[in-house]
Amino acid sequence: MHQTQPRVPLPPPLTSDVPGTWAFDTMSRRVRTDILARIFRENQFQSHVVLRLQQLDTELSAAATTPLSLLPHDGGPDIIVWNEHILKSFVQQRCTWLSAPWAVAEFYLYRRIMTAIDYFKTPVDPFQLQKDLGLTSSIDSISALATRVNQILHNPSIPITSESTLQHLQTFVFISLWGNRIDLSLWPVGGADEHTVKATGGQRSSQSFASVLQAGQKMILSNHMTQLVSYISQLSAPCRFDIIVDNAGFELFCDLCLADFLVCTGIANVVHIQLKAHPTFVSDAMAKDVSATISFLQSIQSQQGADTSASILGHRWAKHLSSGKWKLCEHFFWVQPQPMWQMPSDLHADLSQSALAFVKGDANYRRLLGDLHWPFSTPFADVLCYFPSPVCALRTLKAELGCGMDPVQTQRAAREDDKWLVAGKYGVVQFCDTRSSARSQ
Ligand SMILES: O=P(O)(O)OC[C@@]1(O)O[C@H](CO)[C@@H](O)[C@@H]1O
C-alpha cells in the first residue's frame, strides 16, 4: 500500500521564535529589512498599495506579539484553502508571526504581499527587477554553460552512447544542484550583505559558479547519485519526468539545461516543469519567467555578436515548448506551506504519472520534510516514502533542517563552517524510488 505520510513518527515543526536561529532572523529581521524594503525601493505602487505594505511592515515590526489573521477576499482562487485549511487553527490559537510554524508564517508573508498589491486584480510581479537582474548579471555563466550544453548535445564527436549519456546525466544533475546556490532572496543582485555575490556587471556569477562546481563532491553531505543513475538507466522507454523548480534566473537556466538534456537524449519524452502560481520567495519561478528566460537567451546573440550558443539554446528550448516536449504547469500548492504529504488529490494523481520528480531548492525541500525537526540521520526514504512518484531532491542547505545525512558528514560540515546549515555551501542529492520502497515494506 502507498504510504500517505512518512513511515516514522513526526517530530515538531520549526518555528521562528528561537533567538539565534536563521528562522528567527528571517522572520524578525530579514523579511522587513531585505525583502519588504526592496519591494518599496524597486516598485512604484499607488498610495493605497504603499499604505497596505506599510501596515504589513508594522505587523512585522512587532512579529513576536502580532497574531496571524485570515486573508481578506482579494480575488485569489486560493482563499478557501488558506483560510479554512492552513490558517484557521493557528488564528484560533492566536499564533504570532514567530510562534506559528515557520513555513506557515513565511509563505503567508508572500501571500499577504499579493493581497497588498492587488495581485489577483492586476498581476504585477513585485520582484520583477530582481528576476531581470538575476538573468542579465549571469550572462557570462549562461553563455559558458550554453556552449558546453550545445557541445554535449550537438557535437557528433561526443556520441550520446549510453555510458557517456549517464556520465553527462551526472554533470547536468550537479549543475542543477549548484544552480540553487544563486538565490535572490539570499543574494539580491546589487545587494551588500554578508551573503552577497559581488555584482560586477556581467561577471556576477561566472567565477563563483565555476568554483562552486569544482568544489562539488566534497560539499555534498548525502549523495545518492549512483542510485539515481542506476534507476534512470533501468527505465525501459522514454518517460515523463518532472522538475519542481525553485528560483528564476540562473538556477532556472540550470534546471532547463537538465530538462533539455533529458529530452534531447530521449531519456524523457516529456518534462513537466512545475512552477509557482504567483510570485513568492522573491525569485521563485513562474511560467512567465520560463518564457522570459527563453526570450532572453534568444536575444543574447544580437547583444554579444559572436557568441551564438545561448541563442541556439533559446531557439531549441522554444521548440521544446511548442512541440510539447516541455510542459509548463503552475499550481497553487507550490506557493503554500503544507507538508508535501498533504498534496491535493489532483496534483498527487498527476505526479504519480511521472517516472521521476526532481525537487529543487531549499523551500521545496522544507516542504518535502514538512518543515519538521527530523534527526539529521533519519533515512531519506523513511520520510519520502509517501511521495507520489520516485523523487530526487537537489538542495543546497539554507535552513536548519535535514535528513538522510551521516553524522560523520554533518560533524565535518559543522567543524568547517558554523553556518553550514544555512549558507547554501553544502548540498544533498537524495533519491528515493518510492515504488520499490513501498514494495519492500
Ligand atoms: O528555496 P531556496 O531559494 O533554495 O531557499 C529559500 C530560502 O532562501 O528562503 C528561506 C529563508 O527565507 C529558506 O528556506 C531558504 O534560506
Side-chain angles (χ1 to χ4, degrees):
M1 212 196 77
H2 192 81
Q3 288 282 141
T4 52
Q5 64 171 53
R7 61 182 167 224
V8 284
L10 303 182
L14 274 73
T15 53
S16 25
D17 52 0
V18 183
T21 61
W22 171 245
F24 177 81
D25 185 47
T26 295
M27 294 314 298
S28 61
R29 184 190 64 82
R30 283 181 58 240
V31 292
R32 291 187 67 218
T33 59
D34 293 0
I35 316 282
L36 274 185
R38 261 173 198 279
I39 294 183
F40 284 117
R41 269 207 306 278
E42 295 175 357
N43 293 277
Q44 257 103 49
F45 287 121
Q46 291 184 348
S47 53
H48 71 281
V49 171
V50 172
L51 196 65
R52 286 193 211 133
L53 288 168
Q54 282 166 345
Q55 280 160 358
L56 182 56
D57 187 63
T58 305
E59 279 188 41
L60 290 165
S61 68
T65 51
T66 307
L68 303 186
S69 53
L70 297 180
L71 293 169
H73 285 268
D74 61 3
D78 54 348
I79 284 291
I80 292 180
V81 174
W82 265 104
N83 284 349
E84 294 297 318
H85 303 291
I86 301 171
L87 289 171
K88 198 173 182 174
S89 66
F90 302 114
V91 170
Q92 280 168 352
Q93 294 165 56
R94 294 195 58 77
C95 288
T96 68
W97 282 92
L98 300 195
S99 66
W102 180 27
V104 171
E106 196 171 22
F107 278 88
Y108 172 73
L109 165 75
Y110 290 98
R111 185 59 184 77
R112 284 284 303 272
I113 293 170
M114 294 302 102
T115 302
I117 67 171
D118 274 334
Y119 181 79
F120 297 101
K121 294 184 188 120
T122 315
V124 168
D125 187 338
F127 309 115
Q128 193 59 52
L129 181 67
Q130 286 290 304
K131 286 177 172 174
D132 292 345
L133 291 173
L135 266 185
T136 51
S137 66
S138 303
I139 196 163
D140 284 1
S141 291
I142 286 177
S143 296
L145 205 49
T147 306
R148 183 82 190 108
V149 172
N150 287 336
Q151 277 168 357
I152 291 173
L153 295 177
H154 272 309
N155 187 340
S157 66
I158 307 177
I160 301 291
T161 57
S162 110
E163 203 180 313
S164 68
T165 301
L166 296 179
Q167 280 292 335
H168 292 316
L169 171 65
Q170 299 188 39
T171 305
F172 280 92
V173 170
F174 281 136
I175 287 170
S176 173
L177 165 68
W178 293 119
N180 179 238
R181 278 197 70 170
I182 314 293
D183 166 2
L184 298 177
S185 76
L186 287 180
W187 299 332
V189 186
D193 62 24
E194 55 185 327
H195 291 299
T196 301
V197 174
K198 297 248 175 335
T200 47
Q203 288 165 7
R204 173 180 178 247
S205 58
S206 66
Q207 283 168 354
S208 58
F209 191 65
S211 56
V212 161
L213 272 184
Q214 235 172 25
Q217 298 283 353
K218 104 176 206 329
M219 307 309 279
I220 298 182
L221 301 179
S222 170
N223 191 350
H224 299 168
M225 183 67 90
T226 310
Q227 297 91 312
L228 172 72
V229 170
S230 154
Y231 169 76
I232 293 176
S233 67
Q234 283 162 29
L235 295 170
S236 48
C239 312
R240 164 177 162 184
F241 280 64
D242 283 65
I243 307 182
I244 300 169
V245 300
D246 185 20
N247 299 301
F250 187 65
E251 179 175 0
L252 179 62
F253 173 77
C254 294
D255 297 339
L256 295 178
C257 288
L258 174 62
D260 189 20
F261 174 80
L262 290 171
V263 296
C264 286
T265 52
I267 293 174
N269 56 10
V270 61
V271 177
H272 288 214
I273 299 164
Q274 301 284 350
L275 297 140
K276 306 295 196 293
H278 65 65
T280 196
F281 278 76
V282 183
S283 38
D284 280 16
M286 302 170 62
K288 71 168 176 65
D289 300 317
V290 176
S291 308
T293 303
I294 293 175
S295 304
F296 173 73
L297 293 175
Q298 289 174 319
S299 74
I300 285 181
Q301 184 180 13
S302 49
Q303 290 172 13
Q304 295 235 317
D307 185 2
T308 55
S309 312
S311 135
I312 291 170
L313 210 71
H315 285 94
R316 186 164 72 241
W317 291 3
K319 275 202 202 121
H320 291 334
L321 278 180
S322 59
S323 67
K325 285 187 178 168
W326 283 2
K327 199 165 168 247
L328 306 185
C329 319
E330 286 188 343
H331 201 292
F332 276 92
F333 183 69
W334 303 131
V335 285
Q336 291 166 358
Q338 308 93 317
M340 290 237 191
W341 56 86
Q342 290 173 13
M343 191 177 282
S345 52
D346 62 327
L347 191 56
H348 192 284
D350 181 45
L351 276 177
S352 66
Q353 307 298 311
S354 186
L356 179 72
F358 286 102
V359 180
K360 287 296 317 291
D362 193 81
N364 283 327
Y365 189 87
R366 287 169 58 191
R367 298 188 61 202
L368 282 179
L369 270 60
D371 220 31
L372 305 182
H373 276 292
W374 298 97
F376 291 153
S377 59
T378 312
F380 184 69
D382 281 356
V383 182
L384 266 293
C385 52
Y386 69 84
F387 203 80
S389 67
V391 58
C392 175
L394 302 176
R395 173 224 186 186
T396 65
L397 280 65
K398 302 178 195 164
E400 291 134 330
L401 84 172
C403 74
M405 296 184 289
D406 186 330
V408 173
Q409 296 301 331
T410 52
Q411 284 158 16
R412 169 180 67 89
R415 276 196 308 277
E416 288 172 358
D417 184 346
D418 58 359
K419 295 209 171 3
W420 68 281
L421 276 165
V422 297
K425 270 168 61 179
Y426 293 90
V428 296
V429 176
Q430 294 178 315
F431 169 70
C432 173
D433 179 357
T434 44
R435 287 165 191 150
S436 85
S437 165
R439 279 194 300 275
S440 65
Q441 285 307 297

